[in-house]
Amino acid sequence: MDRQQTTLLPECLDDWVDEGNSIRAVDVFVDALELRDLGFDGVDPAATGRPAYHPSPMLKLYIYGYLNRGPIEPAAGARGPAAISR
């Protein structure tokens, strides 16, 4: 533990991501898409109420999660004891 550390995170989060990490390709790919033309809602914030999350980071998270975990499945315990014993 460094007691002289002045910040919790690095100044730039890119410092934590390797050059070969797949998130860099996902980031560039999603930024190149015209999400409005693809039918994503929330690209332009509504005039009233709190703005929704922008679809760009949500799509990046979805793609990155799919590439690294595959489709999301329920936990083994939620599927029953037979799934745990496999």
Side-chain angles (χ1 to χ4, degrees), residues 9-64:
L9 298 173
E11 290 183 27
C12 180
L13 289 178
D14 276 341
D15 295 343
W16 280 12
V17 180
D18 293 333
E19 290 296 321
N21 194 309
S22 62
I23 192 60
R24 293 189 183 274
V26 171
D27 186 43
V28 171
F29 173 73
V30 173
D31 285 345
L33 295 175
E34 291 294 332
L35 297 178
R36 184 181 303 103
D37 295 343
L38 294 173
F40 281 85
D41 292 332
V43 175
D44 300 314
T48 60
R50 284 186 69 122
Y53 288 113
H54 194 274
S56 176
M58 300 281 93
L59 182 58
K60 290 174 187 180
L61 285 170
Y62 181 82
I63 293 171
Y64 182 76

